[in-house]
Amino acid sequence: MAAALSGPLRPELAQAVSQARVLVVGAGGIGCELLKNLVLTGFSNIYVIDLDTIDVSNLNRQFLFQKKHVGRSKSQVAKESVLQFCPEANIIAYHDSIMNPDYNVEFFRQFTLVMNALDNRAARNHVNRMCLAADIPLIESGTAGYLGQVTVIKKGVTECYECQPKPTQKTFPGCTIRNTPSEPIHCIVWAKYLFNQLFGEEDADQEVSPDRADPEAAWEPAEAEARALASNEDGEIKRVSTKEWAKSTGYDPVKLFTKLFKDDIRYLLTMDKLWRKRKPPVPLDWAEVQKQEQNIPDQQNESSAVLKDQQVLNVRSYADLFSKSVKTLSLHLAEKADGEALIWDKDDPSAMDFVTAAANLRMHVFGMNMKSRFDIKSMAGNIIPAIATTNAVIAGLIVLEGLKILSGKIDQCRTIFLNKQPNPRKKLLVPCALDPPNPNCYVCASKPEVTVKLNTHKVTVLTLQDKILKEKFAMVAPDVQIEDGKGTILISSEEGETEANNHRKLSDFGIRNGSRLQADDFLQDYTLLINLLHSEDLEKDVEFEVVGDTPERIGPKPSEPASRNISNGSDDGAQPSTSTAPEQEDVVIVDSEDEGTSSNAADAESRSRKRKLEKGCGCGGAKRSRAEQEQDDLMIVESEDEGAASSLGEEESRSHKRKLEEKGCECVGAKSVC
């Protein structure tokens, strides 16, 4: 006999819904749909937090916003719009970052459910840890073009968001960016570095001048080492930063153009060994370029104006655009207080003009076909086009999983994949059973512990804090003490307390092979034990390695053709319509690490997962699809949010899929469904 219904829900569930306190993190593409769904389902106590303001580009899919709202807080306008659906609902809006220390564990404990609608990995990691610490169920979600995914995270019951390693962004060596670009993406990354060097926060790792230490420029290792030593030592020469030099010229566009596209290129040509097997670059001369005619996009009719961003201009036009954008950005910088810098934003017209012009001029110098502003924006911003209907489907699935949790049926919750094309069983939505916690997870294990390999004589305390604890392990405000019997404080989250330690090497504190550190993040209520292995055999430009972790450089072997299977976790072809380069999927590349294939650890992990799937045909293993890593809203791919390649090799993945299908199973990324 069917249960009596009160409206669309059973009376006991309707009561649980009306009494539940729900936190929605993010009010973008998924967030707007989710807030609307929640009030229409009967949720009446909703808290929403988002740091962003509304941009014109949001209006095609974030339907709670209108043109009149541009520039206002997303969370506040979303609240106002949703209240028109249900005026009696109690909605609290925060225009803030969820990583603000004000939103501590006690803040999270007041909620019945937390629902993520985020667009970056750092915030996802943080919310994951806060929900674990508060023991509150978290519903995680993500979309990428036509792909989507929803999963439930519950402490001690399911995997947490960080149980399975996420692929990192593809990287290129710094010398490739600075000396020998061979693809448009290399020039685009160079142009973004240049923006920061001239107008933003200067970073020594984002140098744009020719790299004299490039080992490929010398036949002998000793010669390369001498070049590196010469480039690092000042001697009697006072070095001036790129920004200081530009300021001294008054940000003269012609002088900047001459240095970047003529003088620096001529210097590269003196490194003749670089060009033995490459086509050498061709310097540009401002006066010669100005003799060319401009090709200004026709804006006489509306259709031409709409498509102007997809037109490729000539060198003269990009030189003039470079000059104009330099003048505009220098004025913006002059309006800032002393010490403040500009921040590159793909939606800032002047910043986008600068990167478009600088990247295209460099492409021309190195003999590449230039790109349209549309293509460069897609690559520089790591954009995957957002699909409004994908957001709507995923938002609906989030609410359905929430209703299961409120019904006390968390065992019936599923990870649900939305595929681009129907699977062999003609289904677009594919559910998978939730995996149990990974006992080796360095976040949700009972005693989180990791082993890090590094050179204690080279790694500084600041590197430990910023690159290992904050960047790699996603801590916000770590405190670190050495387990040496004295409780020596190495890093304190109190400002200025241990600042004097920043540039000292770890070995200065008696840290050596086998030393242990205890890192605490009191905001996240998270403690991590770190075992240190001293090594002097790390690869060039690699400062540390997490033992047993997914290798930083993942990619198919050169002999393996790229698979075009369409499933979560593999390439779905979601690229800008005018893009042709296969590498553009992972787009922004900022490191100087060499590319390579997976390490033995990754191979072992792949084999282990394959055995697990073949043996049980269950929904186990590494289920993290790209859709989970990359969020809605013309998404910035992190990997991060953030590689589309499956953790399995391409050939292995196809073989694995065939075996599962022979047994009546369906393959979704690295998952199987029987």
Side-chain angles (χ1 to χ4, degrees), residues 602-613 648 652:
D603 295 337
E605 183 178 22
S606 296
R607 289 193 296 271
S608 173
R609 289 176 183 167
K610 185 179 178 184
R611 283 195 300 270
K612 181 179 179 182
L613 289 165
L648 298 172
E652 186 180 62

Side-chain angles (χ1 to χ4, degrees), residues 21-90:
R21 294 164 70 95
V22 178
L23 173 64
V24 176
V25 188
I30 292 178
C32 282
E33 295 287 345
L34 178 57
L35 288 166
K36 176 258 295 179
N37 289 350
L38 288 173
V39 295
L40 294 180
T41 305
F43 289 87
S44 55
N45 295 293
I46 303 170
Y47 294 67
V48 58
I49 182 168
D50 196 303
L51 181 61
D52 285 347
T53 54
I54 298 165
D55 185 79
V56 173
S57 62
N58 303 145
L59 303 182
N60 70 333
R61 65 199 177 281
Q62 298 175 20
F63 300 123
L64 298 182
F65 309 143
Q66 301 174 26
K67 190 173 181 180
K68 65 182 180 182
H69 297 137
V70 170
R72 291 188 58 197
S73 161
K74 282 188 175 182
S75 57
Q76 186 60 42
V77 174
K79 168 187 173 181
E80 296 169 6
S81 299
V82 167
L83 286 175
Q84 296 180 39
F85 291 97
C86 184
E88 62 272 18
N90 174 38

Side-chain angles (χ1 to χ4, degrees), residues 239-254:
R239 293 183 179 271
V240 179
S241 71
T242 304
K243 184 182 289 186
E244 290 302 316
W245 175 81
K247 284 182 179 178
S248 71
T249 69
Y251 280 100
D252 185 318
V254 177

Side-chain angles (χ1 to χ4, degrees), residues 138-443:
L138 168 65
I139 304 178
E140 180 60 81
S141 65
T143 62
Y146 294 99
L147 301 178
Q149 180 174 332
V150 175
T151 192
V152 173
I153 296 168
K154 182 69 171 73
K155 181 179 181 179
V157 178
T158 73
E159 281 186 342
C160 78
Y161 178 72
E162 298 170 81
C163 270
Q164 298 295 342
K166 309 294 187 296
T168 58
Q169 283 187 320
K170 186 180 177 185
T171 63
F172 292 121
C175 52
T176 299
I177 300 298
R178 295 167 65 180
N179 290 359
T180 54
S182 58
E183 302 171 20
I185 187 61
H186 299 158
C187 299
I188 294 168
V189 172
W190 178 88
K192 289 183 68 177
Y193 285 0
L194 179 61
F195 177 92
N196 286 333
Q197 291 290 327
L198 292 174
F199 310 107
E201 290 285 348
E202 293 180 273
D203 186 338
D205 293 332
Q206 296 185 1
E207 183 57 64
V208 294
S209 298
D211 182 8
R212 292 195 295 165
D214 187 344
E216 196 180 347
W219 292 119
E220 298 296 331
E223 188 179 342
E225 188 176 349
R227 286 179 184 269
L229 190 62
S231 69
N232 291 331
E233 292 183 355
D234 286 348
E236 299 298 321
I237 301 172
K238 182 179 179 181
R239 293 183 179 271
V240 179
S241 71
T242 304
K243 184 182 289 186
E244 290 302 316
W245 175 81
K247 284 182 179 178
S248 71
T249 69
Y251 280 100
D252 185 318
V254 177
K255 290 182 178 179
L256 283 171
F257 181 97
T258 301
K259 178 193 183 304
L260 295 166
F261 304 110
K262 183 179 180 180
D263 296 345
D264 282 357
I265 302 304
R266 283 179 169 175
Y267 181 81
L268 278 175
L269 290 171
T270 66
M271 302 163 69
D272 58 326
K273 291 180 178 129
L274 289 176
W275 317 113
R276 298 275 175 94
K277 297 181 180 180
R278 292 186 181 92
K279 182 181 177 181
V282 179
L284 287 174
D285 181 86
W286 177 266
E288 292 297 321
V289 168
Q290 291 302 303
K291 294 177 182 178
Q292 299 180 14
E293 291 185 2
Q294 279 188 306
N295 62 330
I296 302 173
D298 178 18
Q299 299 183 31
Q300 298 301 314
N301 59 73
E302 186 177 351
S303 61
S304 294
V306 170
L307 297 175
K308 65 180 181 180
D309 278 2
Q310 298 187 31
Q311 297 184 20
V312 178
L313 310 182
N314 64 7
V315 175
R316 164 70 189 277
S317 299
Y318 285 127
D320 290 346
L321 183 62
F322 176 82
S323 176
K324 179 184 175 182
S325 60
V326 166
K327 291 176 182 176
T328 304
L329 291 168
S330 62
L331 290 175
H332 291 338
L333 184 62
E335 294 169 359
K336 294 277 188 180
D338 287 343
E340 290 192 23
L342 301 183
I343 298 174
W344 190 83
D345 184 347
K346 68 182 183 339
D347 295 319
D348 179 347
S350 298
M352 197 62 236
D353 282 346
F354 177 84
V355 169
T356 299
N360 271 315
L361 290 168
R362 191 163 173 88
M363 287 181 217
H364 180 79
V365 164
F366 283 89
M368 297 175 229
N369 292 328
M370 296 187 290
K371 294 284 184 179
S372 69
R373 179 192 174 99
F374 177 85
D375 276 344
I376 289 177
K377 184 174 182 179
S378 298
M379 297 165 74
N382 265 356
I383 295 170
I384 291 179
I387 309 296
T389 47
T390 306
N391 293 337
V393 171
I394 293 302
L397 293 172
I398 293 172
V399 175
L400 291 177
E401 293 305 302
L403 293 177
K404 294 177 187 177
I405 294 171
L406 293 177
S407 298
K409 300 176 180 177
I410 196 167
D411 58 308
Q412 295 183 13
C413 290
R414 297 289 184 267
T415 292
I416 304 173
F417 295 98
L418 172 61
N419 287 329
K420 185 177 180 180
Q421 293 184 353
N423 66 9
R425 294 188 179 183
K426 311 298 182 186
K427 293 180 181 179
L428 283 173
L429 291 173
V430 182
C432 291
L434 298 172
D435 286 331
N438 176 1
N440 298 318
C441 176
Y442 61 74
V443 174

Side-chain angles (χ1 to χ4, degrees), residues 502-513:
N502 283 354
H503 299 291
R504 296 177 64 186
K505 305 295 191 292
L506 296 184
S507 57
D508 295 342
F509 296 88
I511 295 174
R512 57 186 186 277
N513 188 54

Side-chain angles (χ1 to χ4, degrees), residues 530-549:
I530 304 172
N531 300 300
L532 297 181
L533 295 181
H534 172 74
S535 174
E536 298 182 1
D537 299 325
L538 294 173
E539 295 179 30
K540 182 179 181 292
D541 294 330
V542 175
E543 292 182 291
F544 68 92
E545 290 179 1
V546 178
V547 177
D549 200 358

